[in-house]
């Protein structure tokens, strides 16, 4: 359980790539190393134009922190808009935009979370909420710098990206001069299926995409991907350097992960097995299940009785299956196995889940 070992625990190709590079060279990005450039090129090739500049960090939190630094430098604003129960990291800057865990400061304003995401007209509702959030920031003498969106809404209870949602956010960003940031730390690298990135569901190109968790299959990695124009404006006003980020070791791990995802067809497998698992959970037809949702192998099972969520999680653990819980009411089972998860593994999960629900 968790979306870090994306291609499975201790995948031999990743381990081999890491150990081979460790024997050769381990330095930092002050030095030009072919492997780092090759990996950056391979990674950038997975994004639509004009996204093509990669800046490496050590984690998703650092990637979101850097995204905010870029937004501040480029827009000269401080204001951040995020969703009502989002989580974007544990640095001082990202904690400020993580209302799931922390109280938002004056420069951070939220728009609707799960209530909006449940609506068929979520994109239209978001437009009004963004307008109001902008007025709130202006009343606090803050200029919008960016809107950041976790594209699977993990902390909100896990939702598919509503149709037009990011298009509405893009329109707002253009009108206000702010940047649109897609947080792919949890959704990215094929977990949502062949489209590879959560934001791709809405056919919108963000200004910045942030990456982390599964990027190195356990090796600590993160990145910001942005446009050349934004990167140049940032570099003219700001400086960023990280000693350990973007090392040849990180590049070796990251490239191996991409090669395994492509070579083993894991994005397609995530789509296929995720659909199989969602159908299986729905077919249980248990009165305690209120909804089953989520893209690919990022599945949310909403329970009718929030009080049973932790019992289900613990009982599943006793039966050898690790899942989690999420949502503002902590009533959504969070299922996000490694992408090597197959129908065979899904059947095991379904059997154990049926037994636990019947017992509870």
């Amino acid at each position: 359980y968790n979306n870090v070992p994306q291609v499975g625990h201790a995948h031999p190709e990743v381990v081999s790539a890491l150990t081979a590079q460790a024997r050769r060279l381990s330095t930092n990005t002050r030095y030009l190393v072919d492997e780092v450039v090759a990996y950056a090129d391979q990674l950038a090739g997975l994004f639509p134009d004009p996204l093509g500049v990669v800046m490496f960090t050590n984690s998703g939190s650092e990637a979101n922190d850097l995204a905010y630094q870029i937004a501040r430098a480029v827009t000269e604003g401080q204001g951040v808009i995020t969703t009502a129960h989002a989580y974007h990291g544990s640095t001082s800057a990202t904690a400020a935009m993580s209302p799931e865990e922390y109280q938002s400061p004056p420069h951070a304003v939220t728009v609707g979370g799960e209530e909006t995401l449940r609506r068929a007209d979520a994109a239209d509702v978001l437009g009004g909420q963004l307008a109001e959030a902008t007025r709130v920031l202006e009343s606090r003498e803050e200029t919008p710098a960016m809107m950041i969106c976790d594209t699977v809404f993990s902390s909100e209870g896990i939702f598919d990206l509503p149709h037009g949602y990011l298009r509405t956010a893009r329109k707002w960003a253009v009108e206000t001069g702010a940047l649109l940031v897609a947080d792919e730390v949890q959704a990215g690298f094929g977990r949502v299926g062949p489209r590879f990135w959560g934001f791709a569901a809405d056919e919108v190109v963000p200004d910045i995409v942030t990456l982390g968790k599964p990027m190195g299959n356990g090796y600590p990695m993160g990145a910001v991907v942005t446009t050349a124009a934004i990167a140049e404006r940032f570099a003219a006003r700001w400086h960023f350097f990280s000693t350990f980020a973007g090392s040849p070791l990180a590049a070796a791990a990251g490239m191996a992960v991409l090669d395994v995802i492509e070579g083993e067809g894991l994005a397609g497998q995530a789509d296929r097995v995720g659909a199989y698992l969602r159908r299986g959970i729905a077919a249980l037809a248990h009165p305690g299940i209120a909804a089953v949702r989520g893209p690919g192998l990022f599945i949310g099972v909403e329970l009718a009785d929030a009080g049973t969520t932790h019992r289900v999680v613990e009982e599943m653990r006793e039966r050898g299956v690790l899942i989690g819980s999420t949502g503002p009411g902590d009533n959504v089972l969070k299922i996000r196995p490694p992408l090597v998860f197959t129908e065979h593994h899904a059947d095991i999960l379904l059997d154990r889940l049926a037994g636990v629900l019947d017992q509870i």
Side-chain angles (χ1 to χ4, degrees), residues 277-353:
L277 186 52
R278 286 191 297 277
R279 289 194 301 269
I281 295 171
L284 296 178
H286 192 280
I289 296 176
V292 184
R293 56 179 179 257
L297 273 177
F298 209 127
I299 298 172
V301 182
E302 184 175 345
L303 300 183
D305 180 5
T308 67
T309 308
H310 287 177
R311 287 183 62 195
V312 172
V313 170
E314 290 302 316
E315 289 293 332
M316 289 292 282
R317 182 180 64 83
E318 291 293 333
R319 288 162 171 77
V321 178
L322 300 180
I323 61 176
S325 63
T326 189
D330 205 23
N331 65 319
V332 178
L333 302 176
K334 180 166 54 177
I335 302 172
R336 48 178 188 176
L339 302 194
V340 292
F341 202 73
T342 66
E343 286 86 351
H344 168 69
H345 302 116
D347 286 339
I348 294 172
L349 187 151
L350 289 167
D351 177 70
R352 310 275 168 89
L353 181 60

Side-chain angles (χ1 to χ4, degrees), residues 176-196:
T176 61
L179 301 186
L180 175 60
V181 179
D183 181 341
E184 296 283 339
V185 171
Q186 300 202 65
F189 293 95
R191 179 161 293 278
V192 297
R195 70 176 188 263
F196 220 72

Side-chain angles (χ1 to χ4, degrees), residues 15 33 134 152 165-166 173 311-312 349:
V15 173
V33 180
T134 305
V152 288
Y165 192 90
L166 288 184
R311 287 183 62 195
V312 172
L349 187 151

Side-chain angles (χ1 to χ4, degrees), residues 33-49 51-56 197 215 225 251 254-255 258-259:
V33 180
D34 289 342
E35 289 85 353
V36 177
V37 178
Y39 173 58
D41 283 343
Q42 185 176 359
L43 183 61
L46 296 170
F47 289 91
D49 292 334
L51 296 171
V53 175
V54 179
M55 302 180 192
F56 292 110
W197 312 111
M215 196 172 178
V225 183
M255 192 173 296
L258 293 181
D259 290 344

Side-chain angles (χ1 to χ4, degrees), residues 64-80:
N64 285 331
D65 192 296
L66 177 56
Y68 185 48
Q69 293 180 48
I70 293 171
R72 289 167 60 196
V74 169
T75 68
E76 299 185 353
Q78 301 279 339
V80 178

Side-chain angles (χ1 to χ4, degrees), residues 75-80 107 137-138 140-146 176:
T75 68
E76 299 185 353
Q78 301 279 339
V80 178
H107 71 271
L137 285 173
E138 290 173 347
R140 299 173 181 175
E141 299 183 346
E142 297 283 1
T143 301
M146 71 182 203
T176 61

